[in-house]
Amino acid sequence: MLLYSTSEVTHPALIFVFNSVIAFLISAFFFFAVLKPRLNFLSSGVHFVLVLLHGMLSCITQITITIAIVILGPGNAVAIFFTMPIFATLFDVLCVGQRCMKINFMFTILSFVGVVLVSRPSFVTGEEEDEYLQRRFFVKVVGVVCGIIGAMAFSGALFAGRKLAELETDTIVTVLSYSSQYSVVSITLCTVLNAWRIPRQTETIIALSATGLISLCGMALHYLAVSFESPVTVSVILTLHVVFAYAGQYIFFTFPFHWTIGIGSALIMVSCVGVTMSRHREQVAAQDEEKEEELLAQDTEEKTPILE
């Protein structure tokens, strides 16, 4: 909500700077004041690479979802962004080697249909578009693509975060990696685009600063959630973002509502929950099978001396 409201009076590149630098200053303070790290606070080179990768993917996520929010509005952007569990399932198949079930493939198609309905191209709405609307549709496509890229990056960050949690990486380290990389990118973009025009309104400056604090808390809580709970459960709970975003944009902003947006968002949420629950059932079945094999092996070991 804050990102969208400040984008009306502030250049997106400057929003990136406030969002990242505030998060960086807070995380750097806690990093040196609380952790008091030594030079070898990361266990290995792989650990260091994982921290950098997690930060880079989180940085890409934050930038792309911000662009999508500015172009599409909070509800539509978040709805498209939460195709994330679909990409998490695909990465699980491609990278981890898990088999892809037919029902997951069906949910992937369902999610794609939902994205099309949310973006509302002319072949869905049946509306004739003049040159201005065609340009506007092109901009909307950019927003949709950014939302999907953000979903893909967030899926990768989910895998990296889970691995970092297994290595017992402190939350402050992951947030500092994200905010430092995000700060470098945002300051560079703001300089290249000559967007250093800070608004004079006190309310706008407070709102811009608040985005940095909120994004910092969001990233930290997301990592903590993956540390304590399975990614499946976290992914399902995160789909509530869609409900909150749509409720917020209709309460605080005058967004027109179209039936395709509601149906598309519902399809995306159904597909996301369906994929994650399907994956959860696969994991439970695999764990049960492993337990049966262990019990069978123990039973065999107990009987072998008697036979001898």
Side-chain angles (χ1 to χ4, degrees):
M1 298 303 113
L2 287 173
L3 286 172
Y4 184 77
S5 63
T6 53
S7 68
E8 297 177 351
V9 293
T10 311
H11 195 286
L14 187 61
I15 295 176
F16 294 157
V17 172
F18 272 89
N19 202 343
S20 59
V21 172
I22 296 295
F24 171 72
L25 292 175
I26 295 173
S27 58
F29 170 78
F30 281 104
F31 180 73
F32 290 104
V34 177
L35 290 186
K36 298 178 181 178
R38 298 182 300 273
L39 291 176
N40 60 341
F41 70 96
L42 296 177
S43 59
S44 64
V46 175
H47 195 178
F48 177 73
V49 171
L50 275 173
V51 170
L52 284 181
L53 179 63
H54 183 267
M56 181 184 68
L57 292 172
S58 300
C59 172
I60 294 171
T61 300
Q62 194 68 27
I63 290 175
T64 51
I65 193 61
T66 300
I67 295 173
I69 287 171
V70 171
I71 294 175
L72 302 173
N76 294 352
V78 170
I80 291 171
F81 175 69
F82 276 96
T83 54
M84 179 266 300
I86 308 297
F87 292 108
T89 302
L90 291 175
F91 289 160
D92 208 16
V93 172
L94 297 175
C95 301
V96 183
Q98 296 289 338
R99 62 190 182 91
C100 182
M101 298 178 66
K102 291 181 180 180
I103 191 170
N104 291 343
F105 181 71
M106 291 173 59
F107 281 128
T108 303
I109 296 175
L110 196 66
S111 177
F112 175 76
V113 173
V115 171
V116 171
L117 289 174
V118 168
S119 60
R120 292 183 62 208
S122 58
F123 64 82
V124 172
T125 61
E127 299 171 353
E128 293 292 333
E129 294 188 343
D130 56 21
E131 186 177 349
Y132 169 75
L133 289 177
Q134 288 175 0
R135 289 199 301 269
R136 182 173 174 77
F137 173 66
F138 175 76
V139 173
K140 286 175 64 178
V141 169
V142 173
V144 170
V145 170
C146 285
I148 292 174
I149 291 174
M152 295 175 67
F154 193 83
S155 301
L158 192 66
F159 278 87
R162 185 63 180 176
K163 186 63 179 176
L164 287 172
E166 292 174 359
L167 295 172
E168 299 181 351
T169 310
D170 196 281
T171 307
I172 298 174
V173 174
T174 62
V175 175
L176 180 63
S177 173
Y178 143 74
S179 59
S180 59
Q181 294 183 64
Y182 189 16
S183 297
V184 172
V185 173
S186 62
I187 291 172
T188 303
L189 278 175
C190 201
T191 303
V192 170
L193 298 175
N194 192 24
W196 291 100
R197 289 181 290 277
I198 299 176
R200 297 180 180 179
Q201 298 86 353
T202 305
E203 299 84 358
T204 305
I205 294 176
I206 292 174
L208 286 170
S209 303
T211 62
L213 178 62
I214 292 172
S215 66
L216 172 70
C217 294
M219 286 294 174
L221 290 171
H222 159 254
Y223 177 71
L224 285 172
V226 175
S227 302
F228 287 105
E229 191 52 82
S230 69
V232 173
T233 305
V234 174
S235 297
V236 173
I237 294 172
L238 283 176
T239 56
L240 287 173
H241 271 124
V242 181
V243 178
F244 293 142
Y246 270 117
Q249 76 173 21
Y250 292 120
I251 292 172
F252 299 110
F253 307 107
T254 55
F255 270 80
F257 184 81
H258 194 274
W259 64 269
T260 58
I261 295 176
I263 294 177
S265 300
L267 290 177
I268 290 173
M269 291 186 67
V270 168
S271 61
C272 290
V273 174
V275 165
T276 50
M277 294 307 294
S278 173
R279 181 74 187 114
H280 179 63
R281 284 196 296 269
E282 289 179 33
Q283 292 175 342
V284 170
Q287 290 173 357
D288 291 342
E289 188 176 343
E290 288 178 1
K291 288 179 181 178
E292 289 180 2
E293 291 178 355
E294 289 177 1
L295 290 173
L296 183 61
Q298 291 176 0
D299 187 50
T300 304
E301 289 175 359
E302 291 174 356
K303 291 181 178 179
T304 299
I306 297 174
L307 293 173
E308 289 176 351

